[in-house]
Structures are given as structure tokens and as C-alpha cells.
Amino acid sequence: MRTVPNPMLAYIWYLLLHSHVTYLVDSLWDWAMSLLKDWECMTTLLLGNADHQGAALSDAQESALIEIILATVREAAEGHPPVGRGGIRKILFAKEKKIQVEDCTKITEHFIVVLPRLLAKYSGDAEKVANLLRIPQYFNLDLYGTGHLEKHLDALLREVKAIVIKHSDADILEACSRIYYILCNEELVIHSKVTLARAELVDELVEKLNQLLSIFWDKGEGLCAKEEGIRQICSLLRRITAFYNAHDLTSWNLYDKMSELLIFEVEHNPLPAQVLLLTLQCAYFALLWRLDSAAKNSSSKENQFVLWTHLRHYCHISTRYLSHSDKDLREKAFLILCDLLMIVSHQDPSNDGSTKLLEYLPGTLLQSKMLLFIQDHVFTEEEEEIKEQVEEEETKNDHHKLDALHVKRCLLAAYCKLIVYNVVEMTAAAEIYKHYVKAYNDFGDIIKETWSRTRHNDKIQSAKTLILCLQQLFQKHAASQDDGSSITLSSATFNNIKELARRFSLTFGWDQVKSRELVAMIHKEGIKFAFQGAAAIGEKCLPSNLNFLIILSEFSNKLLKPDKRLV
């Protein structure tokens, strides 16, 4: 029986005071490598076989030790610091590469045996299990094919399956799905055994879902289940969705079941939001796998048409959910819609199996709904959110704001990606650019990257979008004047438009020759707008948009002298 050294226990106590174990392990890696690589000692501690004054580890110590194990395994297997420490991955020389391979073999041989026992012991602790399940991704999986280690594969698969059945946490299910994914590699000797185990697990999950739906689903009334029934359905949908994300489950024909639920909600009675969210996600993964199959393999025109119909129908349903009362559902629907449109619009046109899919692009109505969603849910603060923030404690309030901001940034980035890749019209970016100054701290980097990418794609159209943005803001400000009088040049709104024009001009840089064509075009469009309708009113009064020239002057320092005479 192995004795646990005092430095190990002292190290665990020290790590309890540190919230970034991965970075602390990296900082100690060079001078405490032998201690950090003593995985046998660490797992002995966890399994309760240590003989150190008869003292057992506390729950906090066990959590810290599992984090240490994961961090040290990652460091040894990858051979480079974690993200945030060191700018460039170091190049491993022959000696270092040899050490890395030896460590990876040592990790695999040890944890292939020990990991199933650890998972069995901590199967009820979500945090510990989530960290332990990440260890197999650093294995040398070829060692599973050796005779003396293959027997431990059954134990691992048995424990992972038990965890899937027991837990419904998204992180744990994703980790379990990833283990099956890496073990199902067709190049591995164990491929067939793991594939069979995965099929048995999915069969069991789908069968349970079908049983619940047969009990609680009524074609006339919908989902007739109380809170416990809904919880069970959501739990199964969460498990199936986690596996559908990484594995092709098309043979189980889950799309038809998911589509039936979504159609019923749209056409008849509302269903619980948590059920709809998971159903929408599951149906999305089903379509992605079908798209992937269509892109790789030639299929009949009939199959192409069925897939194309499902795609259009799914986009229509997702669009309906953009106005749903549940915040999480409408945000998920928007993100899925953005991703799906991006994927479909960039299918390979040379592939005969996906030619039909290329015909589906967002129409004017769908584009306007998506833009309206961004305006309402990204740049507009909802009154309900503000009230909730006032009622919360200060610390919780800050956490809520950061989470809400992260979601909004994801929504905006997904939509801007559609603009950059010409899935939606570039003129839609004008509505985004209007918020650049006001929302600079939260979204400035995303907006700036958008017009940088669009300018790279089409310089002229990008410049026209900038001037269109300024024109729309000017017209809105002019229309807001109560008495219909001329625009107040000293107003805050007018100065904000000028500031936005100044920011736009800075993006052209100092090379006037490089941006000559764009700047000249902006002046031509701006002058044309400023004197719009001048011929109709004659010399009696000034054109209504004449003050737009003041805004346009922010670009004048970028204009070359020969062009000043031309424009």
C-alpha cells in the first residue's frame, strides 16, 4: 500500500485557495513535475487507499484533487501551456516529444484501469464526474487494442452509460457523448464494440421517449403531462440531443417525432417552452446530419426534394419562434436559424446531391424579421430586464448583466456573419452601424469587424452602406423636429451623427490613394442626397437635406485635391 507524501496534501490545501487550478499547475510544472505527474498517488488518495494518519479527504479536497489530475493530464499530453499563458505554442524537440509520448502512454495505462472505479465512486457528483469524463480525450486509444487493457473498456462503457442514465446536466452529457465519439473512431480496433454499445444506449433512450410520448401525447390536445411528466420528457430529450450533436442518429428517424411536436405547437395549443427548446435543437441536428449525408453522397431527386421541403418547413417554424414569449427559446431559434442559413447557403454547388438545397436563401420577409429581432433584443433594453436587475443584489446584478451581454454579443455576431457572407443583403448592416457610437463598449468590436469584412468583399457596396446609414439617421432626426423647422445643429442627436461619420472616416486609414475611390463615391452620394429635390423648390428656399453636408465634411480630409474638383 502506498504512502501519500506530505507535499501532496499540502499542495491540495494550497489549491483550495486558488480559483484557477489549470494556470497554477502550468506555473509549477517545471520545478514540481515529478509531484504533478504522480497520478498513481493522486488516484490512490481519491479511492481512499491512502495511509496518512487515517485521515480521509474532504469533499472540497477531492474536487481540488480531481481538478489537479485533469490539469496535469492535459499539460503532459498536449505539451504546451493552457490558453492565456504564452503567445505561441512551443515547438517540441525530439527529446520533449519522446517524453510527451511516454507520458501519454503512462496516462492511458493507468487511467484505463482506474477511471471506471473513479466514475463509479463519484457517479452522483456532477462536478467531479464532469472533470473525470474529460480525461479519456488525452488517451492513446490504440492501447485499448492490447489484450491486457481491452477488458477495461467494458467497465468504462458501463460506467459512462450509467452516468448518462443518471444525469441530465448538459456538460456531463456532452462529455459522455464525446467519449463515445472518440472511441467510435473507425481506425480503432475497438470501433465495432463501442458502436454497438452506443446503439444499445440510443435504442434505450429513444424507446423510453416513445413510451412517455405514447402516455402523455394526445393528437387532439397535445402534451397532457404534469410537471413530473414534462421533467422526464425534457430529461430524455436532453440526453438524445447531446448524442445527436456528435453522432449520426438518422436511422432512428427522430426528425419526424420532433417535427410533429413543433407543428402541433404552431398550429394548435402551446407546449412547455423547455420541451420546445430541446425539440427544436434535436430537429436541427437531424437536419444537419441529413445535409451532411446529402453533401457527401449522391441521392435521388426525390430524397433531395424531401430534404429541401423539411429545410424550408423548419426555417418557417424557427421564424415563428422569434416572437415567442420565452426568452431562451426565441434566442435559440434565432441562433439556429442563422447557423442553418449559413450552412445551406454555402453548400458546394458542384455536388449534384445538394444542388436543390442551394435554392433556399432567406427572402425579404425573413430578412426583415431577423433584423427586427436584432433591433428589439440586442440594441433595445427590455423594461422587464431592467426591473429584474434593480431587484437583484449587486453581485448577482453584475453577473446577470455579463451573462445577458454575452448572449446579445452571440446574437449580433451570428447575424453579422450572415451579412459578411452575403446570406442577407449588405444594406441590412446600415441598421447595425447606427449603434456603433452608443453601443461601442459592448458591441464596437463586432460592428467594426463587420464593416472591415464587408469592405474586403465589396468596397463600393460597403461604402454605400456607410453613407446609407448616415442618411437614414439624418432623415430620422429631421423627422423628429416637432415644428418642422430646420435641424438644430447643436443638438445632441446631430452631434452623435457627426461623431459616427468621424468614426467611419477613421476606418479608411491614412493612405488616401488606397481609399480614393471609396471616399469620392461617398462624397458624390452625400452631395446628391443633400441637394435632393432642389430643382423642384427652385431658389425660394434651401434644400431640406442641405445640412447633411456638415456631416459629410467629416470625410473631406480623406479626399484628394484632384477629386475635390470632380465631386
Side-chain angles (χ1 to χ4, degrees):
M1 185 175 290
R2 184 158 182 190
T3 302
V4 180
N6 284 329
M8 178 61 72
L9 293 179
Y11 187 51
I12 295 172
W13 280 110
Y14 178 61
L15 284 175
L16 288 175
L17 305 174
H18 204 282
S19 58
H20 302 287
V21 174
T22 302
Y23 299 103
L24 182 59
V25 166
D26 181 65
S27 65
L28 300 174
W29 188 253
D30 291 332
W31 69 271
M33 188 178 297
S34 60
L35 179 64
L36 294 173
K37 288 184 179 181
D38 197 347
W39 296 296
E40 184 181 351
C41 175
M42 292 187 241
T43 53
T44 301
L45 272 170
L46 289 174
L47 292 172
N49 295 324
D51 183 18
H52 182 74
Q53 300 177 357
L57 295 179
S58 66
D59 182 71
Q61 287 175 314
E62 288 178 335
S63 297
L65 186 53
I66 290 174
E67 286 190 62
I68 297 171
I69 291 174
L70 178 60
T72 53
V73 166
R74 188 212 64 81
E75 189 90 19
E78 294 185 348
H80 60 79
V83 176
R85 284 183 62 87
I88 305 174
R89 290 189 176 186
K90 64 178 182 179
I91 300 175
L92 300 179
F93 296 101
K95 183 178 179 181
E96 295 172 320
K97 187 68 176 177
K98 181 181 178 182
I99 294 174
Q100 182 188 18
V101 173
E102 291 175 350
D103 286 341
C104 191
T105 302
K106 181 181 176 182
I107 289 168
T108 306
E109 291 178 342
H110 178 68
F111 283 99
I112 277 179
V113 179
V114 175
L115 185 59
R117 296 167 59 192
L118 291 172
L119 291 173
K121 180 176 180 179
Y122 298 109
S123 61
D125 192 312
E127 180 183 358
K128 295 185 180 68
V129 166
N131 285 326
L132 289 171
L133 288 170
R134 293 172 60 189
I135 294 176
Q137 64 182 299
Y138 303 109
F139 283 0
N140 178 4
L141 298 174
D142 291 328
L143 294 180
Y144 264 122
T146 59
H148 68 288
L149 292 176
E150 187 175 359
K151 61 182 180 180
H152 298 288
L153 176 63
D154 293 331
L156 177 63
L157 294 175
R158 183 172 58 252
E159 294 302 330
V160 173
K161 180 179 179 180
I163 290 170
V164 172
I165 301 300
K166 188 172 186 176
H167 290 273
S168 60
D169 180 77
D171 292 335
I172 294 178
L173 294 174
E174 182 181 348
C176 291
S177 176
R178 181 175 177 80
I179 288 178
Y180 278 100
Y181 176 77
I182 61 176
L183 294 177
C184 283
N185 189 336
E186 294 182 358
E187 297 179 359
L188 298 175
V189 177
I190 60 174
H191 161 70
S192 58
K193 179 183 287 189
V194 180
T195 302
L196 179 60
R198 180 190 62 186
E200 291 176 354
L201 175 57
V202 176
D203 275 335
E204 187 175 333
L205 295 175
V206 173
E207 184 179 355
K208 288 182 179 179
L209 178 63
N210 289 336
Q211 289 175 357
L212 287 176
L213 290 178
S214 65
I215 295 172
F216 298 116
W217 179 256
D218 183 272
K219 291 187 177 181
E221 299 181 8
L223 198 61
C224 304
K226 295 184 179 180
E227 185 176 347
E228 179 60 23
I230 293 174
R231 187 194 65 79
Q232 293 178 14
I233 293 174
C234 288
S235 179
L236 283 168
L237 283 173
R238 195 173 290 112
R239 293 180 175 95
I240 293 172
T241 301
F243 274 81
Y244 222 154
N245 187 20
H247 306 270
D248 186 0
L249 308 183
T250 304
S251 57
W252 280 270
N253 197 25
L254 291 166
Y255 180 81
D256 291 342
K257 296 183 180 67
M258 302 301 107
S259 180
E260 183 180 356
L261 293 173
L262 295 174
I263 292 173
F264 182 89
E265 202 280 338
V266 171
E267 297 180 352
H268 299 88
N269 298 326
L271 298 177
Q274 61 268 35
V275 174
L276 288 174
L277 194 149
L278 293 167
T279 303
L280 193 70
Q281 184 79 60
C282 190
Y284 170 63
F285 290 143
L287 280 178
L288 288 188
W289 282 110
R290 291 188 180 185
L291 284 169
D292 179 71
S293 177
K296 292 179 179 178
N297 308 308
S298 58
S299 57
S300 63
K301 291 185 177 181
E302 182 181 353
N303 290 335
Q304 293 178 30
F305 180 76
V306 171
L307 180 55
W308 183 69
T309 304
H310 286 167
L311 183 65
R312 287 178 58 91
H313 186 256
Y314 183 81
C315 288
H316 173 71
I317 292 176
S318 299
T319 305
R320 294 285 296 269
Y321 289 139
L322 294 181
S323 58
H324 198 277
S325 58
D326 185 80
K327 181 176 180 291
D328 293 335
L329 179 58
R330 62 175 179 257
E331 289 173 351
K332 175 62 69 174
F334 182 83
L335 290 174
I336 286 177
L337 197 56
C338 289
D339 289 344
L340 191 58
L341 291 173
M342 176 65 68
I343 293 169
V344 173
S345 64
H346 286 77
Q347 292 286 317
D348 185 4
S350 63
N351 191 315
D352 294 335
S354 60
T355 304
K356 268 288 184 183
L357 304 179
L358 293 172
E359 296 182 11
Y360 185 77
L361 288 173
T364 304
L365 181 60
L366 178 55
Q367 290 190 40
S368 62
K369 287 183 177 181
M370 295 181 73
L371 180 58
L372 183 62
F373 182 91
I374 289 294
Q375 292 173 330
D376 290 343
H377 301 291
V378 174
F379 295 114
T380 303
E381 289 289 340
E382 299 181 8
E383 295 181 1
E384 295 181 1
E385 290 183 3
I386 298 174
K387 291 179 181 178
E388 290 177 0
Q389 292 174 8
V390 171
E391 294 174 356
E392 290 178 338
E393 297 177 2
E394 189 66 27
T395 54
K396 291 183 179 179
N397 186 29
D398 293 340
H399 182 70
H400 175 81
K401 285 182 179 179
L402 288 175
D403 288 344
L405 177 60
H406 174 71
V407 172
K408 288 182 178 182
R409 284 176 60 85
C410 289
L411 294 172
L412 180 61
Y415 183 75
C416 289
K417 194 186 299 183
L418 297 181
I419 297 174
V420 170
Y421 288 96
N422 299 317
V423 180
V424 300
E425 296 178 3
M426 193 182 295
T427 53
E431 295 294 333
I432 307 296
Y433 297 160
K434 293 176 183 179
H435 304 276
Y436 180 66
V437 175
K438 183 179 179 181
Y440 179 80
N441 292 332
D442 294 337
F443 310 112
D445 57 332
I446 298 175
I447 298 174
K448 191 172 182 180
E449 183 66 16
T450 300
W451 75 48
S452 175
R453 295 289 188 92
T454 53
R455 181 179 300 169
H456 181 267
N457 294 340
D458 189 336
K459 294 189 294 184
I460 298 299
Q461 186 60 38
S462 176
K464 287 183 177 180
T465 304
L466 294 183
I467 197 68
L468 175 63
C469 170
L470 297 174
Q471 291 171 356
Q472 289 177 349
L473 287 173
F474 181 86
Q475 289 177 324
K476 182 179 179 181
H477 177 56
S480 65
Q481 302 297 311
D482 296 334
D483 55 359
S485 58
S486 60
I487 294 177
T488 305
L489 302 182
S490 60
S491 66
T493 303
F494 188 83
N495 288 329
N496 287 338
I497 301 174
K498 279 188 62 181
E499 174 61 19
L500 181 60
R502 188 185 71 83
R503 298 280 187 97
F504 284 166
S505 69
L506 292 176
T507 64
F508 291 103
W510 296 102
D511 191 347
Q512 292 178 299
V513 176
K514 187 176 180 180
S515 59
R516 177 180 182 179
E517 183 181 5
L518 303 182
V519 174
M521 190 277 297
I522 286 176
H523 279 80
K524 289 179 180 179
E525 293 292 328
I527 293 172
K528 181 180 178 181
F529 174 77
F531 289 94
Q532 192 175 45
I537 61 176
E539 299 180 356
K540 297 180 180 179
C541 57
L542 297 176
S544 58
N545 297 334
L546 188 62
N547 287 326
F548 187 77
L549 294 176
I550 299 175
I551 297 172
L552 190 63
S553 66
E554 297 293 337
F555 296 91
S556 297
N557 62 331
K558 304 291 183 182
L559 197 63
L560 292 174
K561 288 185 178 179
D563 293 334
K564 290 181 179 179
R565 290 189 290 269
L566 294 175
V567 300

